[in-house]
Amino acid sequence: MHVVATAGHVDHGKSTLVRALTGMEPDRLDEERRRGLTIELGYAWTALPSGERLAFVDVPGHERFLGTMLAGVGPVPAVMVVVAADEGWMPQSEEHLVALEALGVRHCLLVVTRSDLADPAPVVAQALARLDTAGLGEVEAVAVSGRTGQGLPELRQALDRLVTGLPRPDPAAAVRLWIDRAFSVTGSGTVITGTLPAGTVSVGDELLLAGEPVRVRGLESLKEPRDTVTGVARVAVNLRGHDVPGRGHALVTPGGWTYTDLVDVRVAHVGGPRREAAGLPRRLTVHVGSAAVAAEARPLGGRVVRLRLARPVPLHLGDVLLLRDPGRARSEARVLAGASVLDVRPPALGRRGAARRRAAQLESARLESALLEPAAPGTAYALRLHRLLRAADLRAMGVEPDTPGTSGEWYADPGHWKDLGRRLVEAVRHYAAGHPLDPAMPIEAARHELGLPDRRLVATLVRPPLTLAGGRIAAGPGGLPEPVARAVERLRRDLAARPFHAPDAGRLAELGLGPRELAAAERAGSLLRVGEGVALLPGADARAAELLSRLPQPFTVSQARHALGTTRRVVVPLLEHLDRAGLTERVDEVHRRCR
């Protein structure tokens, strides 16, 4: 299926044309039919000569209903611009075109109606020239008469060519179904309708509406029950678990979008005099999809603006917004500009000059990432702004990671990651200088020092000359201060001949090994402490277990003392250490045996 919206001045025959093409009445309200004036969005559909199904969203042309027109056009990929041959280009023709330009619509068909009342050629030339200046390029034009049917076969062929050239939507994309109509059906509950531009919705899916979970109870597309609908499509969704929402809310994939009420955007030049961001009024209405949300604008510098929205809306990087001045007189241009979303999670602005620096950062990131990602903002761009992001954060911003993460689920900007590695080396060395007897930096202290959100990031950053052991980071192996290292070496010489004859407190003090020094040597793996003030060489416990295994089993403390050639002061804590290590076990109050 394909979906096309209408656009054009009031009473130029948009609804008449849809009626002639589809045989359906797009005006749903009695008041519309009585007055001959479209007030609300209308829907109709037909089959094209190729067999493709085409749905129309018919919009009001009157200036009073610009907001309704924008709600209909916002989610739709292509537009049929309608101009009457007997009146030509009119004010609402211009306002609608400016809106299409601001929304970034690039697929258009020009239809000149009422060709039975006037020569359509001058109007075709006039309208094509204006469409060209709006950046729509080569637009096909067809002259028709909805009253006589003249030109309708050619129009059907032109519509076929239009939809054939539309980009193919991704059926696996995150769903964002903007609601253009919502109502309650007795016995069924809430029903919403909208244009699904991409993605897939199926019966039973759990989606989010205004941030709250809802379940899809049933689906229809063009009045036909469906189990699954894939964009682009007109779709009606029967929901379980929600009251009737208003137009402008969206049904979205959980985790697929960022709900935000604060965005940084870049204002685009749209029609009329060139407008800098500083010239925007402070209070605006922001249109996206079918939503119209009040907002406050704060220029940051150049074309970059921060918008604070009256309510959160689901957005992606690169989304296009339309900025409108709701207080401007209808005789003036109310569509001010289009704006592309640069950041959906902007930081707070603090000190003087922060706004200007933020604008420069966004422009720099945009220009640099365009060299790598010309099509749309991608991973490199998002990481330039946020430095560290989870894969889930990237997806919620509309960026699908295409490479493995830097550390598990985390992605890092390469330049920032390199700087973090350098800072970690400096932090560990600074910590060692301040803690000579405990030089290895706890990983949690390093995380705090670097301002990182996850300890795993710190572990991934550890590279030579750093080492990680026991949850602590050292600058190289060992890491003992020189005086302690010399004292440990003298102790090694003492224990060389009698490995289980641990020196007493006096000898340890003589060597310069107090409690803090012994603890540092133990952390560095240079000594084995089996009890308070009892220090042996690393591996002494395994050697002791080997010697004790040669004794008749079970054995007593006294037998163990003689076998190891040591004192009771040493053998008792050593045997308790062997018990904890699982090398020996108690048989009774007196005896042990080797395992």
Side-chain angles (χ1 to χ4, degrees):
M1 184 197 305
H2 302 278
V3 183
V4 171
T6 62
H9 193 74
V10 63
D11 200 31
H12 274 203
K14 296 186 295 299
S15 298
T16 300
L17 191 58
V18 171
R19 196 177 298 117
L21 286 167
T22 66
M24 301 175 67
E25 177 57 68
D27 288 337
R28 295 179 290 107
L29 306 180
D30 291 339
E31 182 183 357
E32 293 178 308
R33 297 169 186 170
R34 186 176 64 253
R35 297 173 59 185
L37 176 70
T38 299
I39 298 171
E40 260 296 344
L41 300 177
Y43 313 103
W45 53 90
T46 189
L48 295 174
S50 65
E52 293 279 356
R53 304 184 82 186
L54 175 62
F56 291 98
V57 178
D58 187 35
V59 307
H62 197 283
E63 61 183 359
R64 288 170 50 197
F65 306 115
L66 177 62
T68 303
M69 175 268 180
L70 294 173
V73 172
V76 175
V79 173
M80 185 169 66
V81 176
V82 178
V83 186
D86 58 336
E87 290 191 354
W89 197 258
M90 295 290 282
Q92 284 307 110
S93 307
E94 181 65 24
E95 185 162 46
H96 283 199
L97 178 60
V98 171
L100 298 179
E101 186 183 358
L103 290 170
V105 174
R106 291 296 176 264
H107 302 279
C108 176
L109 174 65
L110 171 65
V111 183
V112 176
T113 58
R114 304 214 288 254
S115 62
D116 58 317
L117 301 180
D119 179 8
V123 174
V124 168
Q126 176 193 31
L128 286 177
R130 181 63 189 93
L131 293 172
D132 184 61
T133 60
L136 291 173
E138 293 188 11
V139 175
E140 186 173 358
V142 182
V144 303
S145 168
R147 187 178 64 85
T148 68
Q150 176 189 347
L152 288 180
E154 291 80 3
L155 176 55
R156 290 179 180 277
Q157 295 288 348
L159 285 167
D160 237 341
R161 289 189 289 273
L162 173 67
V163 299
T164 299
L166 295 178
R168 291 185 174 274
D170 180 6
V175 168
R176 181 174 59 176
L177 177 63
W178 290 104
I179 298 170
D180 52 35
R181 188 177 173 221
F183 50 93
S184 181
V185 176
T186 303
S188 296
T190 299
V191 176
I192 63 98
T193 70
T195 299
L196 178 66
T200 301
V201 179
S202 299
V203 173
D205 282 354
E206 185 175 281
L207 302 172
L208 295 180
L209 179 55
E212 298 296 325
V214 293
R215 192 167 295 280
V216 176
R217 186 177 181 179
L219 287 172
E220 281 188 2
S221 184
L222 307 187
K223 297 290 186 180
E224 297 174 0
R226 302 281 293 275
D227 292 327
T228 296
V229 177
T230 300
V232 174
R234 285 295 303 173
V235 60
V237 186
N238 182 198
L239 298 176
R240 179 184 288 113
H242 204 283
D243 295 333
V244 178
R247 172 182 288 167
H249 288 284
L251 202 59
V252 303
T253 300
W257 301 85
T258 299
Y259 273 93
T260 180
D261 60 0
L262 192 68
V263 289
D264 287 345
V265 302
R266 188 175 192 272
V267 175
H269 166 58
V270 174
R274 185 169 294 273
R275 180 181 297 277
E276 291 297 326
L280 292 173
R282 181 178 178 185
R283 298 189 184 279
L284 298 167
T285 298
V286 173
H287 293 264
V288 55
S290 64
V293 184
E296 290 189 359
R298 175 183 177 180
L300 302 184
R303 293 179 176 272
V304 180
V305 177
R306 175 159 293 185
L307 299 175
R308 185 172 294 280
L309 307 176
R311 65 174 173 87
V313 294
L315 293 176
H316 276 170
L317 297 175
D319 271 345
V320 176
L321 314 179
L322 182 145
L323 309 182
R324 183 166 69 96
D325 186 349
R328 186 165 294 211
R330 293 195 186 108
S331 59
E332 302 180 69
R334 291 173 290 166
V335 175
L336 300 176
S340 56
V341 174
L342 298 179
D343 196 1
V344 292
R345 288 174 42 181
L349 299 175
R351 287 181 281 180
R352 184 180 180 88
R356 186 176 62 255
R357 289 191 296 272
R358 173 63 174 168
Q361 179 201 19
L362 288 165
E363 288 287 14
S364 174
R366 186 180 68 86
L367 292 173
E368 288 190 23
S369 66
L371 300 176
L372 302 173
E373 305 158 341
T379 305
Y381 172 80
L383 292 176
R384 276 296 307 270
L385 295 184
H386 294 277
R387 297 186 172 184
L388 285 167
L389 289 169
R390 291 185 176 93
D393 299 326
L394 286 166
R395 292 189 182 96
M397 292 179 178
V399 177
E400 184 61 39
D402 54 4
T403 58
T406 307
S407 177
E409 64 177 342
W410 287 98
Y411 287 74
D413 173 68
H416 180 58
W417 189 252
K418 183 177 180 180
D419 183 61
L420 284 172
R422 177 188 57 78
R423 288 172 54 200
L424 179 61
V425 172
E426 293 177 357
V428 171
R429 287 174 175 167
H430 184 265
Y431 184 91
H435 304 78
L437 296 180
D438 188 10
M441 188 177 195
I443 197 168
E444 180 61 22
R447 186 196 69 79
H448 185 269
E449 179 69 22
L450 298 179
L452 293 175
D454 194 322
R455 292 172 58 138
R456 290 173 293 179
L457 291 167
V458 182
T460 307
L461 280 168
V462 175
R463 297 278 192 279
L466 302 182
T467 59
L468 175 62
R472 304 176 76 91
I473 307 169
L480 283 175
E482 186 59 31
V484 179
R486 288 198 302 269
V488 169
E489 184 57 33
R490 289 196 296 271
L491 178 58
R492 285 179 179 275
R493 290 197 292 268
D494 283 0
L495 294 172
R498 302 173 67 186
F500 304 105
H501 196 74
D504 58 19
R507 177 54 180 164
L508 288 174
E510 183 182 333
L511 292 172
L513 293 172
R516 294 178 61 198
E517 288 79 6
L518 288 172
E522 182 182 28
R523 283 192 297 270
S526 300
L527 289 179
L528 170 67
R529 288 201 302 172
V530 298
E532 187 67 31
V534 179
L536 301 172
L537 296 180
D541 47 358
R543 174 60 176 159
E546 180 188 357
L547 293 174
L548 294 175
S549 68
R550 300 174 186 176
L551 292 175
Q553 304 292 314
F555 57 85
T556 63
V557 169
S558 178
Q559 289 170 322
R561 180 175 63 80
H562 286 291
L564 300 178
T566 186
T567 64
R568 186 176 181 84
R569 176 183 68 86
V570 175
V571 78
V572 170
L574 176 56
L575 288 173
E576 291 173 350
H577 170 82
L578 295 177
D579 291 343
R580 291 192 297 271
L583 297 174
T584 59
E585 64 180 353
R586 282 184 174 273
V587 175
D588 51 37
E589 291 297 320
V590 177
H591 297 88
R592 282 181 172 83
R593 64 184 173 198
C594 291
R595 290 191 172 185

